[in-house]
Amino acid sequence: MNPYIKRVLSETENRNVSQPLFLQAVNEVLDCLDPIIEETPDIEVCSILERIIEPERQVMFRICWTDDAGKIHVNRGYRIGFNSTLGPYKGGLRFHPSVNLDVVKFLAFEQIFKNSLTGLPIGGGKGGANFDPKGKSDAEIMRFCQAFMIELHHFLGEDKDVPAGDIGVGPREIGYLFGQYKRLTKRFESGVFTGKNANLGGSLARIEATGFGTVYFANAMLATEDQSLEGKTAVVSGSGNVAIYCAKKLTELGAKVVAMSDSDGAIHDPFGIDLEVVRSLKEIDRARISEYEKHVTGSKFYPDENVWQFKCDLAFPCATQNELDKKDVKTLIGNGCVAIVEGANMPTTPSAIELIQSKELFFAPGKAANAGGVAVSALEMQQNASLQKWSFSDVDQKLQKIMTSIHDDCQHYSQKYKRPKDYVFGANVAGFLRVAEAVHAYGVI
Ligand code: NDP
Ligand code: 2IT
């Protein structure tokens, strides 16, 4: 490893001792940069790596809210503006009990390169709270969102920091957050949030964008070896926003999705998952995936199991970080799986990625494959800024173009540096170069 990268990594480890996820994300990016640092000495001379690895700002705050029984709760909120080189901070908010500074920081760091890959003018940020939305009433969710926004609104702005959804945050929560922002600022600043419902100025196809985009990326990747999705069997982990629309597009393009999951376990349906049942359970009833078994004969629920045990050609981790480990990859390979495509952020552990790459399976890293969500968020910002409303098919076509272009950029750099089929390398180099060149162009700021 290049001595400059080694030094920066070691400084980063010393400065972020209790942040293993952040260090995992940094390691993956820096591990790809050897040839770039060697051919561009200015990166070291101008301390570009050090400047990209340190967040521009990190905010932590207390959130007090009252439940339906009148009990007062205290949660912790976060927003990291990691890098605004390419545009306003852009990235989702996650509400989940596991949220801490490490989680938000790794997500914000990943977001810098993902957003760069889209080619659109958006910087990298992320936020959230250790709030658990499960089992909460609609009124409790609303009061929590309003309390969260009392502090966060100071830091937002359509040209400053633009949140969206992530785990536990969808259009309902964005509506409450945006409503409170509007009330506190006395302004209708629609571009300050993306992922809004269409009646609040949201873009059509934003709900579908991440999952659809992941499948468009998979399609482009398989096409490089004259393969397609048609007739393939797939498993998709999770059953939230990304998982549902990933499974929907897979089905539309001729693949059969036989398993999905949530944190309680996995469902297997050998005839192909009925997505209307999943959507109704998850989007309307906010129920558990175990209920699927009651609605579809021939399906079976496996408590506390994941989806990787089921025979498939394609695997789409679409739930959460580090959900797919080396043992799972061995099972997938043993069952004949040919491609792993990340809909979630950093769902595959480093040792699992190493094994995948040693076996020459297709592997699409999340920062490239799941960039369709944030890309359509940027299209939502464009529509809001120009007071326009584009049709579903306009947005979907733009999304397809963006995903193909991200795929081609990854492929370009992996071929240029003689790392064929290495999409991790291609994505990190392509994402990094655009940010690094812009950091350099600003001078020292
Ligand atoms: P949702 O909240 O809609 O769904 C999350 C799904 O993952 C649920 O099925 C949930 O199960 C499961 N899950 C979450 N955490 C865990 C956990 N710790 N263990 C097991 N299962 C878990 O979130 P999204 O679909 O929006 O996000 C999924 C992934 O995609 C995340 O990694 C997110 O960062 C990433 N992503 C999201 C984008 C977006 O536009 N929404 C864009 C790009 C990436 P349960 O209900 O049981 O918790
Ligand atoms: O991880 C992600 O890219 C997201 N959660 C979406 C971010 C966004 O701003 O749309």
Side-chain angles (χ1 to χ4, degrees), residues 79 89-94 107 111 114-115 122 125-126 162-167 194-195 206 210 242 343-345 370-378 381:
R79 184 75 184 166
Y89 304 122
K90 183 82 198 84
L93 295 171
R94 178 177 290 192
L107 289 164
Q111 200 83 43
K114 181 196 304 193
N115 294 4
I122 40 179
K126 201 85 184 191
V162 182
D166 193 81
I167 292 177
T194 63
R206 175 60 187 89
T210 311
V242 179
N345 284 309
N370 74 32
V374 77
V376 171
S377 276
M381 291 162 74

Side-chain angles (χ1 to χ4, degrees), residues 94 96 98 107 111 114 126 134 165-169 206 210 237-243 261-264 282 287-288 318-321 323 343-346 370-371 373-374:
R94 178 177 290 192
H96 193 272
S98 64
L107 289 164
Q111 200 83 43
K114 181 196 304 193
K126 201 85 184 191
K134 279 199 196 88
D166 193 81
I167 292 177
V169 178
R206 175 60 187 89
T210 311
S237 68
S239 47
N241 172 259
V242 179
S261 62
D262 62 20
S263 55
D264 291 346
K282 288 290 173 178
R288 310 304 299 157
C318 293
T320 194
Q321 63 272 7
E323 56 164 315
N345 284 309
M346 213 169 74
N370 74 32
V374 77

Side-chain angles (χ1 to χ4, degrees), residues 142-390:
M142 181 184 75
R143 285 198 295 277
F144 178 79
C145 289
Q146 292 178 339
F148 182 77
M149 196 43 58
I150 286 173
E151 191 57 35
L152 189 65
H153 85 278
H154 296 294
F155 304 96
L156 305 184
E158 60 192 5
D159 52 6
K160 219 192 258 179
D161 188 348
V162 182
D166 193 81
I167 292 177
V169 178
R172 172 182 63 165
E173 290 72 22
I174 296 292
Y176 295 146
L177 294 164
F178 179 41
Q180 179 76 335
Y181 182 87
K182 180 173 151 312
R183 168 159 76 176
L184 292 169
T185 60
K186 312 259 178 283
R187 299 178 59 215
F188 191 95
E189 189 187 338
S190 55
V192 74
F193 278 97
T194 63
K196 303 178 292 289
N197 258 323
N199 58 0
L200 301 183
S203 177
L204 297 178
R206 175 60 187 89
I207 282 271
E208 292 85 355
T210 311
F212 277 22
T214 301
V215 177
Y216 296 146
F217 192 96
N219 211 14
M221 194 168 73
L222 290 172
T224 61
E225 292 187 1
D226 293 325
Q227 297 190 52
S228 79
L229 295 164
E230 181 79 43
K232 297 250 183 344
T233 298
V235 298
V236 176
S237 68
S239 47
N241 172 259
V242 179
I244 288 175
Y245 292 96
C246 173
K248 182 164 193 254
K249 186 51 75 178
L250 280 168
T251 309
E252 280 174 16
L253 295 183
K256 182 163 79 166
V257 179
V258 294
M260 293 181 79
S261 62
D262 62 20
S263 55
D264 291 346
I267 44 158
H268 184 244
D269 185 343
F271 303 107
I273 299 275
D274 183 334
L275 284 164
E276 283 318 304
V277 173
V278 177
R279 279 186 58 194
S280 151
L281 286 173
K282 288 290 173 178
E283 291 181 353
I284 298 164
D285 305 345
R286 297 181 190 274
R288 310 304 299 157
I289 202 72
S290 53
E291 297 283 307
Y292 183 91
E293 194 184 43
K294 294 184 194 150
H295 293 80
V296 183
T297 40
S299 68
K300 186 167 160 50
F301 177 65
Y302 294 79
D304 302 319
E305 299 271 350
N306 60 38
V307 296
W308 317 124
Q309 61 177 302
F310 304 112
K311 189 170 166 47
C312 64
D313 305 306
L314 313 167
F316 289 81
C318 293
T320 194
Q321 63 272 7
N322 291 332
E323 56 164 315
L324 181 78
D325 63 21
K326 198 170 168 178
K327 156 179 69 54
D328 301 321
V329 171
K330 282 186 186 155
T331 309
L332 286 167
I333 293 174
N335 282 337
C337 179
V338 296
I340 297 172
V341 184
E342 295 187 331
N345 284 309
M346 213 169 74
T348 315
T349 65
S351 61
I353 297 179
E354 220 174 281
L355 177 60
I356 295 166
Q357 293 185 324
S358 73
K359 301 289 181 196
E360 296 218 350
L361 263 75
F362 276 117
F363 178 71
K367 63 168 74 74
N370 74 32
V374 77
V376 171
S377 276
L379 301 182
E380 183 169 328
M381 291 162 74
Q382 286 183 24
Q383 291 170 77
N384 292 154
S386 58
L387 305 179
Q388 291 183 52
K389 184 139 196 89
W390 303 339

Side-chain angles (χ1 to χ4, degrees), residues 2-48:
N2 173 288
Y4 169 51
I5 299 185
K6 223 172 174 173
R7 173 170 64 74
V8 172
L9 265 179
S10 138
E11 285 168 8
T12 309
E13 276 161 21
N14 291 337
R15 199 183 282 194
N16 303 281
V17 274
S18 53
Q19 297 177 350
L21 294 169
F22 173 58
L23 293 174
Q24 182 182 333
V26 171
N27 260 290
E28 189 206 282
V29 175
L30 265 55
D31 198 37
C32 297
L33 298 181
D34 259 34
I36 307 302
I37 305 292
E38 261 142 44
E39 69 186 27
T40 321
D42 259 7
I43 295 178
E44 179 170 3
V45 173
C46 302
S47 303
I48 305 275

